[in-house]
Short mmCIF file of all heavy atoms in Angstrom, two decimals:
data_model
loop_
_atom_site.label_atom_id
_atom_site.label_comp_id
_atom_site.label_asym_id
_atom_site.label_seq_id
_atom_site.Cartn_x
_atom_site.Cartn_y
_atom_site.Cartn_z
N LYS A 3 11.88 2.28 11.33
CA LYS A 3 11.35 2.32 9.96
C LYS A 3 10.88 0.94 9.52
O LYS A 3 9.92 0.82 8.78
CB LYS A 3 12.38 2.88 9.00
CG LYS A 3 12.57 4.37 9.15
CD LYS A 3 13.40 4.96 8.07
CE LYS A 3 13.51 6.46 8.29
NZ LYS A 3 14.19 7.13 7.21
N LEU A 4 11.54 -0.11 10.00
CA LEU A 4 11.11 -1.47 9.68
C LEU A 4 9.72 -1.72 10.23
O LEU A 4 8.85 -2.25 9.54
CB LEU A 4 12.09 -2.50 10.24
CG LEU A 4 11.70 -3.96 10.06
CD1 LEU A 4 11.61 -4.31 8.58
CD2 LEU A 4 12.68 -4.85 10.78
N PHE A 5 9.48 -1.30 11.45
CA PHE A 5 8.15 -1.47 12.05
C PHE A 5 7.10 -0.64 11.31
O PHE A 5 5.97 -1.09 11.13
CB PHE A 5 8.17 -1.08 13.53
CG PHE A 5 8.93 -2.06 14.38
CD1 PHE A 5 10.01 -1.65 15.13
CD2 PHE A 5 8.57 -3.40 14.43
CE1 PHE A 5 10.72 -2.55 15.91
CE2 PHE A 5 9.27 -4.31 15.20
CZ PHE A 5 10.34 -3.88 15.94
N VAL A 6 7.48 0.54 10.86
CA VAL A 6 6.57 1.38 10.09
C VAL A 6 6.22 0.70 8.78
O VAL A 6 5.06 0.67 8.36
CB VAL A 6 7.17 2.78 9.85
CG1 VAL A 6 6.34 3.56 8.86
CG2 VAL A 6 7.31 3.54 11.16
N MET A 7 7.22 0.12 8.13
CA MET A 7 6.99 -0.56 6.87
C MET A 7 6.06 -1.76 7.06
O MET A 7 5.16 -2.00 6.25
CB MET A 7 8.31 -1.03 6.24
CG MET A 7 9.20 0.11 5.80
SD MET A 7 8.39 1.22 4.63
CE MET A 7 8.02 0.08 3.32
N ILE A 8 6.26 -2.52 8.13
CA ILE A 8 5.39 -3.66 8.41
C ILE A 8 3.96 -3.18 8.65
O ILE A 8 3.00 -3.76 8.14
CB ILE A 8 5.92 -4.47 9.60
CG1 ILE A 8 7.23 -5.17 9.20
CG2 ILE A 8 4.89 -5.50 10.08
CD1 ILE A 8 7.96 -5.80 10.34
N ALA A 9 3.82 -2.10 9.38
CA ALA A 9 2.49 -1.55 9.63
C ALA A 9 1.84 -1.08 8.33
O ALA A 9 0.64 -1.25 8.14
CB ALA A 9 2.58 -0.39 10.63
N MET A 10 2.64 -0.50 7.44
CA MET A 10 2.11 -0.07 6.15
C MET A 10 1.60 -1.26 5.35
O MET A 10 0.52 -1.21 4.76
CB MET A 10 3.18 0.67 5.34
CG MET A 10 3.48 2.05 5.83
SD MET A 10 4.85 2.82 4.94
CE MET A 10 4.23 2.82 3.27
N ILE A 11 2.36 -2.32 5.34
CA ILE A 11 1.97 -3.51 4.59
C ILE A 11 0.67 -4.09 5.15
O ILE A 11 -0.25 -4.42 4.41
CB ILE A 11 3.09 -4.56 4.59
CG1 ILE A 11 4.27 -4.05 3.76
CG2 ILE A 11 2.60 -5.90 4.06
CD1 ILE A 11 5.54 -4.83 3.93
N LEU A 12 0.58 -4.17 6.46
CA LEU A 12 -0.63 -4.68 7.07
C LEU A 12 -1.81 -3.75 6.81
O LEU A 12 -2.93 -4.19 6.60
CB LEU A 12 -0.43 -4.87 8.58
CG LEU A 12 0.57 -5.97 8.95
CD1 LEU A 12 0.78 -5.98 10.46
CD2 LEU A 12 0.13 -7.33 8.45
N GLY A 13 -1.57 -2.45 6.82
CA GLY A 13 -2.62 -1.48 6.54
C GLY A 13 -3.10 -1.56 5.11
O GLY A 13 -4.28 -1.39 4.82
N LEU A 14 -2.19 -1.85 4.19
CA LEU A 14 -2.57 -1.97 2.78
C LEU A 14 -3.51 -3.15 2.56
O LEU A 14 -4.32 -3.12 1.64
CB LEU A 14 -1.33 -2.15 1.91
CG LEU A 14 -0.53 -0.90 1.64
CD1 LEU A 14 0.75 -1.26 0.89
CD2 LEU A 14 -1.32 0.10 0.85
N ASN A 15 -3.39 -4.16 3.38
CA ASN A 15 -4.25 -5.33 3.22
C ASN A 15 -5.72 -4.95 3.25
O ASN A 15 -6.53 -5.51 2.53
CB ASN A 15 -3.94 -6.35 4.31
CG ASN A 15 -4.64 -7.67 4.09
OD1 ASN A 15 -4.75 -8.11 2.95
ND2 ASN A 15 -5.11 -8.27 5.15
N SER A 16 -6.09 -3.98 4.06
CA SER A 16 -7.49 -3.57 4.14
C SER A 16 -7.93 -2.75 2.92
O SER A 16 -9.12 -2.59 2.68
CB SER A 16 -7.74 -2.75 5.41
OG SER A 16 -7.02 -1.54 5.34
N LEU A 17 -6.98 -2.26 2.14
CA LEU A 17 -7.30 -1.46 0.96
C LEU A 17 -7.41 -2.29 -0.32
O LEU A 17 -7.89 -1.80 -1.32
CB LEU A 17 -6.24 -0.37 0.76
CG LEU A 17 -6.12 0.67 1.86
CD1 LEU A 17 -4.97 1.61 1.55
CD2 LEU A 17 -7.41 1.44 2.03
N ILE A 18 -6.94 -3.51 -0.27
CA ILE A 18 -6.96 -4.35 -1.47
C ILE A 18 -8.38 -4.79 -1.74
O ILE A 18 -9.02 -5.39 -0.90
CB ILE A 18 -6.04 -5.58 -1.30
CG1 ILE A 18 -4.60 -5.14 -1.08
CG2 ILE A 18 -6.14 -6.50 -2.52
CD1 ILE A 18 -3.67 -6.25 -0.71
N PRO A 19 -8.89 -4.48 -2.91
CA PRO A 19 -10.26 -4.88 -3.23
C PRO A 19 -10.37 -6.39 -3.34
O PRO A 19 -9.43 -7.07 -3.70
CB PRO A 19 -10.53 -4.22 -4.57
CG PRO A 19 -9.22 -3.83 -5.10
CD PRO A 19 -8.27 -3.72 -3.96
N LYS A 20 -11.54 -6.92 -3.04
CA LYS A 20 -11.74 -8.36 -3.03
C LYS A 20 -11.97 -8.94 -4.42
O LYS A 20 -11.62 -10.06 -4.68
CB LYS A 20 -12.91 -8.72 -2.12
CG LYS A 20 -12.76 -8.24 -0.69
CD LYS A 20 -11.56 -8.85 -0.03
CE LYS A 20 -11.41 -8.35 1.39
NZ LYS A 20 -10.09 -8.47 1.92
N VAL A 21 -12.55 -8.18 -5.33
CA VAL A 21 -12.90 -8.72 -6.63
C VAL A 21 -11.97 -8.21 -7.72
O VAL A 21 -11.30 -8.98 -8.39
CB VAL A 21 -14.37 -8.39 -6.98
CG1 VAL A 21 -14.73 -8.94 -8.35
CG2 VAL A 21 -15.30 -8.96 -5.92
N HIS A 22 -11.91 -6.90 -7.93
CA HIS A 22 -11.09 -6.32 -9.00
C HIS A 22 -10.07 -5.37 -8.39
O HIS A 22 -10.42 -4.28 -7.94
CB HIS A 22 -11.97 -5.57 -10.00
CG HIS A 22 -12.91 -6.48 -10.72
ND1 HIS A 22 -12.51 -7.32 -11.72
CD2 HIS A 22 -14.25 -6.68 -10.59
CE1 HIS A 22 -13.53 -8.01 -12.15
NE2 HIS A 22 -14.61 -7.64 -11.49
N ALA A 23 -8.81 -5.77 -8.42
CA ALA A 23 -7.76 -4.98 -7.80
C ALA A 23 -7.39 -3.76 -8.62
O ALA A 23 -6.61 -2.94 -8.17
CB ALA A 23 -6.52 -5.85 -7.58
N GLU A 24 -7.93 -3.61 -9.80
CA GLU A 24 -7.50 -2.53 -10.68
C GLU A 24 -8.49 -1.38 -10.77
O GLU A 24 -8.40 -0.55 -11.66
CB GLU A 24 -7.20 -3.10 -12.06
CG GLU A 24 -6.06 -4.09 -12.01
CD GLU A 24 -5.82 -4.77 -13.33
OE1 GLU A 24 -6.54 -4.49 -14.28
OE2 GLU A 24 -4.90 -5.57 -13.38
N THR A 25 -9.40 -1.29 -9.84
CA THR A 25 -10.33 -0.16 -9.88
C THR A 25 -9.58 1.11 -9.53
O THR A 25 -8.72 1.13 -8.66
CB THR A 25 -11.51 -0.36 -8.90
OG1 THR A 25 -10.99 -0.44 -7.57
CG2 THR A 25 -12.30 -1.61 -9.21
N ASN A 26 -9.91 2.18 -10.23
CA ASN A 26 -9.20 3.44 -10.03
C ASN A 26 -9.30 3.96 -8.60
O ASN A 26 -8.34 4.49 -8.07
CB ASN A 26 -9.73 4.49 -11.00
CG ASN A 26 -9.32 4.22 -12.42
OD1 ASN A 26 -8.31 3.57 -12.67
ND2 ASN A 26 -10.10 4.71 -13.37
N GLU A 27 -10.44 3.79 -7.99
CA GLU A 27 -10.62 4.29 -6.62
C GLU A 27 -9.70 3.57 -5.64
O GLU A 27 -9.07 4.20 -4.81
CB GLU A 27 -12.08 4.11 -6.19
CG GLU A 27 -12.35 4.65 -4.80
CD GLU A 27 -13.81 4.48 -4.39
OE1 GLU A 27 -14.66 4.30 -5.27
OE2 GLU A 27 -14.06 4.52 -3.19
N LYS A 28 -9.61 2.27 -5.74
CA LYS A 28 -8.76 1.50 -4.83
C LYS A 28 -7.28 1.81 -5.06
O LYS A 28 -6.52 1.95 -4.12
CB LYS A 28 -9.01 0.00 -4.97
CG LYS A 28 -10.36 -0.42 -4.49
CD LYS A 28 -10.51 -0.20 -3.00
CE LYS A 28 -11.86 -0.66 -2.52
NZ LYS A 28 -12.07 -0.45 -1.10
N ILE A 29 -6.89 1.94 -6.33
CA ILE A 29 -5.51 2.29 -6.63
C ILE A 29 -5.18 3.66 -6.05
O ILE A 29 -4.12 3.86 -5.46
CB ILE A 29 -5.25 2.24 -8.15
CG1 ILE A 29 -5.26 0.79 -8.62
CG2 ILE A 29 -3.93 2.92 -8.51
CD1 ILE A 29 -5.19 0.61 -10.11
N HIS A 30 -6.09 4.59 -6.19
CA HIS A 30 -5.88 5.93 -5.63
C HIS A 30 -5.75 5.86 -4.10
O HIS A 30 -4.89 6.53 -3.52
CB HIS A 30 -7.03 6.86 -6.03
CG HIS A 30 -6.91 8.23 -5.45
ND1 HIS A 30 -5.95 9.12 -5.88
CD2 HIS A 30 -7.60 8.85 -4.47
CE1 HIS A 30 -6.06 10.24 -5.17
NE2 HIS A 30 -7.06 10.09 -4.31
N GLN A 31 -6.57 5.06 -3.45
CA GLN A 31 -6.49 4.91 -1.99
C GLN A 31 -5.15 4.33 -1.57
O GLN A 31 -4.55 4.79 -0.59
CB GLN A 31 -7.62 4.02 -1.47
CG GLN A 31 -8.97 4.66 -1.52
CD GLN A 31 -10.07 3.70 -1.06
OE1 GLN A 31 -9.87 2.50 -0.98
NE2 GLN A 31 -11.22 4.25 -0.75
N ILE A 32 -4.68 3.33 -2.30
CA ILE A 32 -3.39 2.72 -1.98
C ILE A 32 -2.28 3.75 -2.14
O ILE A 32 -1.43 3.91 -1.25
CB ILE A 32 -3.13 1.50 -2.88
CG1 ILE A 32 -4.08 0.37 -2.51
CG2 ILE A 32 -1.67 1.04 -2.78
CD1 ILE A 32 -4.11 -0.77 -3.51
#
Side-chain angles (χ1 to χ4, degrees):
K3 287 189 179 186
L4 176 62
F5 290 121
V6 171
M7 293 303 300
I8 292 170
M10 286 175 59
I11 292 168
L12 293 175
L14 283 173
N15 189 38
S16 65
L17 297 176
I18 299 172
K20 302 299 179 202
V21 179
H22 296 285
E24 297 175 359
T25 62
N26 289 335
E27 182 180 340
K28 292 295 181 181
I29 289 173
H30 178 70
Q31 288 177 344
I32 291 168

